[in-house]
Amino acid sequence: MDLTQIFWLFFMLSALQPAIRQRMLDASRRRAIARIESERGSRVVLLVHRQETMSLLGFPVYRYIDVNDSEEVIRAIQLTDPKMPLDLVLHTPGGLVLAATQIARAVLKHKGKVTVFVPHYAMSGGTLIALAASEIVMSEHAVLGPVDPQLGQSPAASILKVVREKPIAEIEDQTLILADQAEKAIVQMGAEVRDLLSNKYPAEKTEELAKLLTSGTWTHDYPITFERARDLGLRVRNEMPETVLNLMQLYPQPTMRKSSVEYLPVSYRSNRPAPQTAVITTLLN
């Protein structure tokens, strides 16, 4: 074999490596999901987004809950027996209200028990979906977030506050239009949250939670930790299965550049079993 043949063989192997790696990753995920389904007797559905999934010409591309996600999740629920337990793993910064609402409604209507697992974070629309579940399981350091509507880059509640505190003669027509939309958005989201919670909590508690979560009580990125969620009265627990945490290791952040965090990926905790699933450090979409 001459040097030219060796070069082309190396080139072909290098070109095929990402595809082979992706197939190995997909196979590992399927095995991990099947293991959890077998252990829990449930349908497992993952909704996993990375805040920055890739770098295109130096610009970050963001992932969030969109209509494609709602179609896929609803399809998975439709393929599940109505009485079968449903386990939904959420890892998302949020996304489109329409898509998140569709998923939340589908979760609410599922007759079997629905458990939402939040290994790291489920903000905004992710929290809306979690509220529809029978129970929420959060890791020790996981967080949820408020579901107050956002109009563009501005919180709806803040737009209303500006309009209410300034003389109307000093307010531009465009701002008044935004304020009208903001008021409608808050009313609509409050009604949505009440519907999701009404069969789980007394009327007074439902109203209290809806107001806290939708009216701009906190900033949109306010972290609702397990302790805070529990103090608010949400149905949360923190017994996160090790298999779910291991599964999340198969959804790593794609690294187009060197990671700023490094450590030896081995457990030094004697009270936890070693991960049973393979960890592949590169995810290609």
Side-chain angles (χ1 to χ4, degrees), residues 8-122:
W8 281 110
L9 179 61
F10 174 78
F11 177 80
M12 292 176 62
L13 290 175
S14 299
L16 290 173
Q17 184 181 9
I20 295 173
R21 186 181 295 117
Q22 184 63 44
R23 285 182 176 272
M24 293 174 60
L25 181 60
D26 291 341
S28 296
R29 291 173 178 172
R30 288 194 294 269
R31 287 195 298 269
I33 291 172
R35 183 180 301 113
I36 297 174
E37 290 186 339
S38 177
E39 291 175 354
R40 294 180 54 83
S42 64
R43 159 81 75 178
V44 175
V45 180
L46 285 88
L47 183 57
V48 177
H49 298 127
R50 288 302 186 181
Q51 188 72 4
E52 183 177 316
T53 62
M54 60 184 294
S55 182
L56 181 62
L57 300 178
F59 296 96
V61 177
Y62 296 95
R63 291 285 303 278
Y64 53 84
I65 302 172
D66 58 22
V67 291
N68 291 324
D69 292 325
S70 62
E71 290 177 6
E72 290 295 328
V73 174
I74 290 172
R75 178 61 176 161
I77 294 175
Q78 290 173 337
L79 291 173
T80 306
D81 187 275
K83 296 182 180 179
M84 186 177 190
L86 179 67
D87 291 336
L88 185 57
V89 182
L90 296 179
H91 180 81
T92 177
L96 297 179
V97 173
L98 171 61
T101 300
Q102 285 185 299
I103 296 173
R105 286 287 180 177
V107 167
L108 183 67
K109 291 180 179 179
H110 187 70
K111 295 180 180 179
K113 180 181 179 181
V114 180
T115 303
V116 161
F117 294 95
V118 184
H120 302 293
Y121 71 108

Side-chain angles (χ1 to χ4, degrees), residues 192-218:
E192 193 66 39
V193 172
R194 291 185 193 94
D195 285 348
L196 297 178
L197 299 180
S198 60
N199 64 338
K200 305 179 184 69
Y201 303 94
E204 290 185 3
K205 190 63 180 178
T206 296
E207 186 64 32
E208 175 191 345
L209 289 171
K211 184 176 181 179
L212 279 172
L213 294 171
T214 66
S215 63
T217 305
W218 306 294

Side-chain angles (χ1 to χ4, degrees), residues 220-274:
H220 196 59
D221 61 350
Y222 177 76
I224 301 176
T225 62
F226 166 75
E227 291 79 11
R228 288 169 181 161
R230 181 189 58 195
D231 292 343
L232 289 175
L234 291 174
R235 293 183 178 178
V236 295
R237 59 185 182 89
N238 60 355
E239 295 85 9
M240 179 65 66
E242 194 72 24
T243 49
V244 174
L245 295 177
N246 292 342
L247 177 59
M248 284 302 301
Q249 294 181 44
L250 299 176
Y251 292 83
Q253 176 73 29
T255 52
M256 303 300 290
R257 50 188 177 272
K258 183 175 175 58
S259 172
S260 59
V261 178
E262 288 193 35
Y263 63 96
L264 296 178
V266 295
S267 175
Y268 293 153
R269 298 182 62 172
S270 58
N271 61 334
R272 285 194 176 187

